[in-house]
Structure formats: structure tokens, C-alpha cells
Amino acid sequence: MWKVSKYIVSVPQGEEVIVFNTFTSSLILLEQELYNKIFVQKEFDDLDGDVLKSLIEMSYLVDAGLDEGFQLETIRTRGRYYDSDIRMITIAPTLACNARCYYCYEQGIEFSMMSRETADVLVDFLDKHCPERKLTLTWFGGEPLMARDMMDYISRSLLSRGIEILSVITTNGYLIDDEVIEKSKTYWNIRRFQITIDDIGDAYNQIKAFVEPGNAFERVTGNIEKLLQNDIKVNIRINFDPNHIEGTLKTIDYLQERFGKYPSFFMYVAAINDMNVESVLNGFEDKREHPYLTLLRKMKDLGFLCPTSLSDELETKFDDEETLRYLNLRSRPIACYATCLNKFVVDPEGNFYKCHRLLGRGEKFICGNIYEGIKYNQAYKMFVDGKLSSHNCDSCSLLPMCQGGCKVKAMLYGEDQACIANKTIMDSLVRLLAEEMMK
């Protein structure tokens, strides 16, 4: 006996219906009559044998006794417990920053720098808990390049212990110079720079509000070009306010014109999360098209639908499924790295947090430190206990794609803000996926 899966999104398309399975990321196009028979009337007995077999293989139809919610819970549990040791860690060697972005979630926190004594204990801790001798570092801040000496010290110390390191860095790009580029290509082994460019010219300068005077926009974009000329991958994040995307559209055009020729260049858009900025999850019924969809269409037209230029050993390759990745339509085993038992962010004092968005927010978010190890307290439990972000998650057809969403956003902005950004434009994204597949 069979039943229709709960993880189905149906989108009308003329006299046909596009049916997307969020668990298997499968997509089919059915005539309305056949769709009604299967998904509305739920009549399967006289289906063509090959049709029935395909629907079962792609999980549109599942065993009548299957508890799909429990199945997903099992997948999440397996993902959370996958690593028994530390293979990846985010290090904030400083919480100081030379920019003052209006939407930064670290506003008001105390600036601090990691000492060499703390770095020594951190290296000892990683040495003890990394038996495979391979470690991926994510450098974060503050602005991590304000503590480049500490990045040096930690990297060299780990290498001296026989630990192979691979790094990525999130930076505003202002302090990049020839020395940074050289170290990135050698013992820092930085495979990718993520740099935020939210607007161009004076508008960018006003958003970033760098402490040092001068034309920061020209300096940062010049530094990006130096990275690309050295074949270092650069991932440009464009944060946008859904009510003001005119500057975002201009920024996309500018970046494409200046950097699009480099194979190691990639850019993507991300909505700003701030209490003073309207959430991208709202409907925007007063606009002709949802602003997030407008931006995604723009990126698609410029060829940034699939992040092929960034595929390396840090990322999983999905070959012809890259479109699913960029549209965020692919199922995944966990909500985010923070829900895994042994994924941590380390602040300059050596404290553990589960999420970088909580850095500097106080004791209630600290779940241990490099001196005493992990503390199995509420700050730790909140992320790894397997609970979903909202009581509505279990009945949502999109659950396989977000696995409960962002617990930090739910805590800071409300349960309804934990969802993935594409929730309100799901029908349009499924149509975009269908267009790409038919090509």
C-alpha cells in the first residue's frame, strides 16, 4: 500500500502541473488529469506499471506505514553525530573591526584580541582532538586580518604539529595586501575569500563606514582584483534590503563587468537580517515581483545560477544538480553546522559558541572553552538536541530542505524568521528549476 509523500510542492503550469519532491529533489511534469488522479484522488491501483515504479523510486509515493517525520529525524541525528572528532572549526582571532556596518549583528559587543597564550592552548586543544591530522579553518571576526599575526602564529603552530590545514576567510577586504596574498597561497592555505560588497561608490562607503578615511570602495575592489589575478577564489556576498534593491541590481552589474572575466570569481545575494529591515520572508504583495526573485533572475541571466567556479574539496559536487544548490532546492541532512556535536566557533578568549552570530553575546551562549572542554549546558543543548526551530516545522513540505531552519534567527527575530529565504517564492523557483532542466 502506498500514500502520497508529505514533502510535495505542486505548481500549475498551463494545462500541466510541475511536481517537486523536496526530499529527493525530483521534479516531474504531469498532465492535469493524471496529477489529479495521483495527488488529489490518490488512486494508484490502475496506474501504468512504469509510472508507478518511477513515482515510488522518486518518493512521490511512499509506503503507507512510513513515518516520514521520523525518517527525517533519523537523518538529522545521523548528521549531527557524524564527526566524533574536530575536523573543522571557526576561529575569531579578534572581534575588533575597522568597519561599522549598520546591520552588523556584532554591534555593541566588546572588541578583543586573542593573546599568544590563548592561541597556544587552542593549538593544544586542536592537536588533541584532531587525530586525522587534517583540519579546515574558517577565519572570522570582527575583521580577522586585523589579527594577521595571530593567524600566522596559529597556522604555523598547527603545521608544526603535523596537522594539514585548509582555510577559508570572511573579511571586508580592506586590509588585503601582497603579504596577505602570499601567505594565503602558502602556509595559510586559504582556498576562498568571502567579501561583502553591498553597493558601489559612495553608497558602499556609507554602508561600511570604515574608521580610516579615504575611498574604501576603490581600495577594496582593487584588492579583490589582486586576489583574482593570483587565481585565488573570491566569493562576493551582496547583502540586500528587500525594499531597496535598486542599489543591489547596480552592484551586480558592476561586479559582473569588472570581475566576470575571472574564472575564480563568484557572487551571490543574501537578505539582511535586522529588526529594522523588513524580512525577505514577507510576501511583498505590493510589488509586481518579490524582490528576492527579481535578484535571483538577474543572477541567472548573468550565469551565476550555478556556483561551478567554487567547486573544490571544501564543497560537495552535485554535477548536473548544481542548479538545485543555488536555488536552495536541495534536501540536506542537517539545518547547519551548529547542530553538529563537534562544530564550534572560538572567540579571542578561547570560549566556544555553536554559531558565529552569537559571538560576544555573553555567558548564556558559551558552551565551554579550550581550557575545560565542552560544557553540556543549555547553550550547547539548544543546537544539538534535535528539536526543530518552530512548532510548525514538522508539517511543512519544505522541511527536507531546511531541517528546521536557523535556531538563532528564531531566537533573535521570532520563529517565523527561522525559515529558508526562498519559502515565499517557492512556486517561482520550482518553475525556474523546470526551465533549467528542460534546457
Side-chain angles (χ1 to χ4, degrees):
M1 296 291 291
W2 308 103
K3 64 180 179 181
V4 173
S5 170
K6 62 191 290 187
Y7 303 124
I8 300 294
V9 176
S10 301
V11 182
Q13 182 85 336
E15 297 181 356
E16 298 174 309
V17 180
I18 305 170
V19 192
F20 181 68
N21 186 304
T22 63
F23 180 70
T24 60
S25 302
S26 302
L27 185 143
I28 55 176
L29 186 64
L30 298 177
E31 293 180 353
Q32 185 72 57
E33 183 179 354
L34 183 56
Y35 170 82
N36 289 341
K37 181 175 183 175
I38 298 169
F39 294 97
V40 180
Q41 299 161 6
K42 300 179 182 178
E43 298 176 357
F44 320 130
D45 292 341
D46 60 345
L47 283 176
D48 176 84
D50 289 336
V51 171
L52 179 61
K53 180 181 178 182
S54 296
L55 291 171
I56 294 170
E57 287 177 347
M58 294 186 286
S59 294
Y60 287 96
L61 299 182
V62 297
D63 189 281
L66 174 65
D67 185 334
E68 292 179 279
F70 177 69
Q71 181 184 36
L72 273 190
E73 182 183 339
T74 301
I75 291 171
R76 286 194 298 274
T77 301
R78 189 183 302 131
R80 295 200 312 276
Y81 286 84
Y82 175 72
D83 284 336
S84 58
D85 302 301
I86 293 180
R87 303 180 185 182
M88 179 183 299
I89 194 162
T90 298
I91 303 174
T94 180
L95 295 183
C97 188
N98 55 342
R100 299 291 184 271
C101 305
Y102 73 89
Y103 56 75
C104 182
Y105 48 79
E106 291 187 8
Q107 287 189 54
I109 69 171
E110 182 180 351
F111 287 175
S112 56
M113 289 275 188
M114 184 176 289
S115 68
R116 182 163 291 201
E117 291 74 22
T118 300
D120 285 335
V121 180
L122 172 59
V123 170
D124 286 340
F125 179 88
L126 294 174
D127 188 12
K128 181 179 179 181
H129 293 88
C130 184
E132 291 191 1
R133 319 313 285 167
K134 291 185 178 181
L135 186 64
T136 297
L137 306 178
T138 297
W139 296 107
F140 200 75
E143 169 49 51
L145 291 178
M146 291 183 71
R148 71 170 70 182
D149 289 347
M150 193 51 58
M151 292 174 58
D152 267 358
Y153 186 72
I154 293 172
S155 297
R156 289 183 184 275
S157 297
L158 289 170
L159 290 171
S160 71
R161 305 285 185 98
I163 298 176
E164 179 183 340
I165 61 173
L166 193 66
S167 304
V168 295
I169 185 170
T170 298
T171 170
N172 57 44
Y174 191 89
L175 298 174
I176 294 169
D177 54 24
D178 291 341
E179 180 189 42
V180 167
I181 290 174
E182 178 60 27
K183 291 178 178 179
S184 299
K185 296 173 69 176
T186 54
Y187 60 89
W188 287 0
N189 199 14
I190 294 182
R191 296 300 180 87
R192 183 172 67 247
F193 279 70
Q194 177 166 296
I195 300 172
T196 298
I197 303 288
D198 298 334
D199 214 315
I200 58 177
D202 288 339
Y204 168 89
N205 294 334
Q206 292 173 14
I207 291 171
K208 303 304 289 186
F210 281 101
V211 175
E212 298 179 39
N215 192 334
F217 179 72
E218 287 302 322
R219 175 168 175 162
V220 171
T221 52
N223 289 341
I224 291 171
E225 191 129 36
K226 287 181 183 179
L227 291 171
L228 295 170
Q229 288 169 348
N230 281 273
D231 297 321
I232 297 175
K233 293 175 181 176
V234 179
N235 196 358
I236 301 296
R237 176 184 172 114
I238 309 172
N239 293 316
F240 70 92
D241 177 341
N243 275 316
H244 303 284
I245 64 169
E246 299 80 10
T248 308
L249 292 166
K250 292 178 183 178
T251 303
I252 292 170
D253 284 333
Y254 174 88
L255 294 172
Q256 167 63 13
E257 182 177 352
R258 182 161 180 181
F259 304 127
K261 62 184 177 182
Y262 294 102
S264 52
F265 168 73
F266 180 72
M267 59 179 167
Y268 72 101
V269 294
I272 293 172
N273 298 119
D274 186 273
M275 294 298 291
N276 299 314
V277 176
E278 187 172 2
S279 171
V280 72
L281 290 167
N282 294 344
F284 294 93
E285 290 82 3
D286 59 328
K287 300 185 183 297
R288 187 177 67 177
E289 183 176 74
H290 195 288
Y292 186 39
L293 182 60
T294 299
L295 294 175
L296 286 181
R297 288 189 188 277
K298 176 75 171 178
M299 301 296 274
K300 172 180 175 291
D301 291 342
L302 292 176
F304 286 96
L305 189 62
C306 307
T308 52
S309 66
L310 292 180
S311 293
D312 57 28
E313 56 265 56
L314 289 181
E315 300 170 341
T316 304
K317 294 184 180 181
F318 296 120
D319 301 323
D320 59 340
E321 298 179 16
E322 287 173 331
T323 303
L324 289 165
R325 298 174 66 195
Y326 188 73
L327 294 178
N328 203 12
L329 293 177
R330 205 175 195 285
S331 61
R332 54 184 178 179
I334 57 172
C336 72
Y337 75 87
T339 62
C340 297
L341 270 66
N342 289 304
K343 298 290 194 303
F344 298 98
V345 183
V346 182
D347 75 2
E349 283 72 44
N351 295 311
F352 291 145
Y353 296 79
K354 288 302 291 174
C355 175
H356 61 276
R357 288 178 176 266
L358 299 177
L359 279 168
R361 288 181 176 265
E363 284 289 333
K364 67 178 181 179
F365 297 119
I366 294 174
C367 56
N369 55 60
I370 56 177
Y371 303 94
E372 302 169 331
I374 302 168
K375 291 183 179 179
Y376 296 93
N377 55 15
Q378 186 57 38
Y380 184 81
K381 181 182 177 182
M382 181 181 76
F383 286 94
V384 304
D385 62 5
K387 292 181 180 179
L388 302 173
S389 298
S390 166
H391 64 281
N392 295 319
C393 289
D394 195 50
S395 59
C396 179
S397 63
L398 307 188
L399 183 57
M401 299 192 305
C402 73
Q403 295 290 9
C406 178
K407 292 193 174 186
V408 172
K409 290 180 184 177
M411 177 178 59
L412 297 179
Y413 311 119
E415 284 188 359
D416 59 328
Q417 300 304 312
C419 302
I420 50 178
N422 59 18
K423 182 176 182 177
T424 52
I425 57 171
M426 192 66 191
D427 288 3
S428 298
L429 294 180
V430 169
R431 289 192 180 98
L432 271 176
L433 176 63
E435 289 173 14
E436 291 297 311
M437 292 183 70
M438 283 187 279
K439 287 180 180 180

